[in-house]
Amino acid sequence: MKAGRTFRTAIITLAGAFAMMTMTGCFASPRANDTVGGAALGAGAGALLGGAEGSPATGALIGGLGGGAVGYLVGTEMEHREYGYGYRGF
């Protein structure tokens, strides 16, 4: 019965990650897009890895926070490059 529960958790996690990824089109800035996308991917991966260890919720929480932080940093860098903020190298 544990295999059925793990499969159900994986399906719910993937559906949630897909819903989060489709919501990123509503934002305008690269920072917001990358933050939400990173959080969604991190939460999905964390839930799958945490499910293998017996705690998908904890894995999703840690993965979502970590993915959101990395996505924020990447989005900020892309925003600076796109809009010309920061060091230009000349």
Side-chain angles (χ1 to χ4, degrees):
M1 193 67 177
K2 185 172 176 125
R5 185 172 139 188
T6 303
F7 181 72
R8 190 178 90 199
T9 302
I11 293 296
I12 291 170
T13 302
L14 290 175
F18 179 74
M20 290 291 290
M21 291 299 290
T22 58
M23 289 184 349
T24 61
C26 299
F27 296 110
S29 73
R31 182 184 306 154
N33 285 340
D34 291 342
T35 300
V36 173
L41 289 173
L48 290 175
L49 294 174
E53 295 296 320
S55 181
T58 303
L61 178 65
I62 294 169
L65 291 173
V70 171
Y72 178 81
L73 294 173
V74 170
T76 300
E77 182 63 28
M78 289 179 64
E79 198 169 85
H80 285 204
R81 288 179 186 217
E82 182 178 331
Y83 298 121
Y85 301 131
Y87 179 70
R88 291 187 179 241
F90 53 84

